[in-house]
Amino acid sequence: MPPAEPVAAVPSPTDAALIAAWQGGDEQAAAELVRRHARALARFLAGAGAPEADLDDVVQETFIRAFRAVGRFRGQCRFRTWLLTIGGNVLKDAHRRAKRARVVPLADDLRSSDGDPHERAVAAEAEGRLGEGLERLPRLQREVFLLRAQQGLEYEEIAAALGTTPGAARVHYHHAVRRLKECLK
Amino acid sequence: MKDDATFHDAKLQELAQRLGARAAERLDVERTAQAVVARLREERSAPLRGTWTWRRPAWLKIAAALVIVAGAGLVARSMWQTPSGAPAPVETVDLSDMSAPQLRELLRSLEQPGAPEPVSSQDVGLEDLSPAQLRTLLASLEEQT
């Protein structure tokens, strides 16, 4: 049996190529961008206080706003980073409309996870406290913290997305960390 | 052995990375993608309606701004003139009781040569004026300033 020929890896299109394709009318390019970034966006939004019941709606609204405004995206940061900042705006608007308290789904976490129940309970409690601490932070500190600690972005990237300087982003991050540590003590 | 600060930094980082992960995992990405595409398609299929709803607020805002500027000008003028100036000829007339034809008649009489003011705008409601009368009023104000 002859050896199988190596399959040439087809490079996946860049975000910029997908954006251009969407602007040219290709709906599947838009769908691909959603598939590519929806989970990271959902994680960011959930971390920033989006109730899980509303998460899908907030994610959809963020993508809709992003696609409407994509002509103004100048590549000052990555598409995902830009998307996350739009998500922050959508969430702020949603909070303004409905001042619903965030519910930490502790019981659900306990049911759906593996491992030691005590450890899971402790971890869930710590996450709950972190979530509450994040909600009490000023918006900019919260977003800088999540972009840095959760999404792993550099200060330069964060600053470009939020329209501030890397130094200011660093200061916001350190203030956030200091206050969140207090919550976890 | 880690000191407290390092331990807390690592713990915070770890917690932050876990935060929202379960909720994100439960998101049905494909369903979200299809829903977004459907909404975008809907928006694209109604471009004219979109254009109208975008443009209408623009001219409405301009018109509202013009009315506010004119109103502010009138208020400012009345505040400057009231202490020293003579009372305007129509101040004793209750304009709110007058009909639109009566007001037009009044405006015509005030616009006649020799009248002290081309249009006594202090007591005339702007909503009763036609666009042409508003332009005349604005022009008279500009001439005075």
Side-chain angles (χ1 to χ4, degrees):
Chain A
M1 187 175 160
E5 284 192 17
V7 179
V10 180
S12 56
T14 62
D15 285 351
L18 288 171
I19 290 167
W22 148 248
Q23 287 175 312
D26 181 357
E27 287 182 347
Q28 282 316 303
E32 181 54 29
L33 282 165
V34 176
R35 288 185 200 105
R36 195 175 278 190
H37 300 294
R39 266 197 221 291
L41 173 64
R43 211 154 65 88
F44 174 80
L45 292 169
E52 190 174 342
D54 298 341
L55 197 55
D56 186 37
D57 288 345
V58 182
V59 167
Q60 279 187 39
E61 185 59 30
T62 302
F63 275 107
I64 295 292
R65 283 201 204 174
F67 284 121
R68 277 184 202 146
V70 81
R72 297 199 296 273
F73 175 57
R74 298 275 174 260
Q76 66 275 30
C77 57
R78 282 181 292 173
F79 177 72
R80 176 176 290 187
T81 313
W82 184 68
L83 193 65
L84 297 180
T85 60
I86 293 174
N89 290 331
V90 171
L91 192 57
K92 184 186 75 178
D93 293 348
H95 275 153
R96 201 180 288 157
R97 279 195 302 271
K99 305 236 177 214
R100 272 173 281 181
R102 177 168 175 259
V103 177
V104 179
L106 184 63
D108 195 29
D109 288 348
L110 290 171
R111 276 197 302 275
S112 63
S113 305
D114 298 326
D116 177 64
H118 175 70
E119 281 179 14
R120 288 199 317 263
V122 170
E125 189 196 338
E127 276 186 58
R129 271 161 44 200
L130 178 62
E132 287 165 12
L134 277 168
E135 280 187 13
R136 285 201 291 268
L137 290 181
R139 185 183 161 204
L140 203 53
Q141 282 183 23
R142 179 169 59 240
E143 291 194 357
V144 169
F145 175 80
L146 287 171
L147 291 172
R148 174 82 179 153
Q150 186 197 54
Q151 303 287 327
L153 300 181
E154 298 296 330
Y155 289 119
E156 287 74 14
E157 175 89 0
I158 295 168
L162 296 177
T164 184
T165 64
R170 190 185 295 271
V171 169
H172 285 307
Y173 178 75
H174 285 294
H175 280 309
V177 166
R178 189 167 47 78
R179 292 174 71 168
L180 291 172
K181 278 181 183 175
E182 289 295 317
C183 294
L184 293 174
K185 270 183 185 169
Chain B
M1 184 177 149
K2 288 176 181 175
D3 62 17
D4 267 3
T6 314
F7 173 74
H8 276 113
D9 280 349
K11 188 180 169 190
L12 194 58
Q13 190 94 11
E14 187 194 325
L15 277 174
Q17 283 169 3
R18 279 213 310 260
L19 201 63
R22 275 184 294 274
E25 279 306 311
R26 284 194 275 262
L27 184 77
D28 186 341
V29 172
E30 192 53 42
R31 197 175 69 87
T32 304
Q34 295 312 319
V36 169
V37 167
R39 282 180 63 184
L40 291 171
R41 190 183 301 146
E42 206 173 279
E43 286 190 7
R44 280 190 162 182
S45 68
L48 287 175
R49 193 180 58 195
T51 307
W52 166 240
T53 51
W54 268 105
R55 283 186 185 168
R56 186 172 53 174
W59 65 257
L60 270 178
K61 281 177 193 167
I62 292 167
L66 278 173
V67 169
I68 288 167
V69 167
L74 295 176
V75 169
R77 199 172 70 116
S78 67
M79 286 172 70
W80 280 104
Q81 285 187 348
T82 304
S84 58
V90 290
E91 271 181 352
T92 53
V93 180
D94 189 357
L95 290 178
S96 58
D97 293 331
M98 293 175 76
S99 66
Q102 285 172 321
L103 281 168
R104 274 196 292 274
E105 182 56 38
L106 174 64
L107 276 170
R108 265 198 298 277
S109 71
L110 291 170
E111 281 172 348
Q112 283 169 2
E117 293 282 338
V119 176
S120 180
S121 50
Q122 288 165 333
D123 298 300
V124 178
L126 286 175
E127 66 274 13
D128 293 326
L129 298 179
S130 68
Q133 286 170 329
L134 265 175
R135 274 194 293 274
T136 310
L137 177 64
L138 282 170
S140 72
L141 285 173
E142 282 166 2
E143 281 169 15
Q144 285 171 10
T145 55

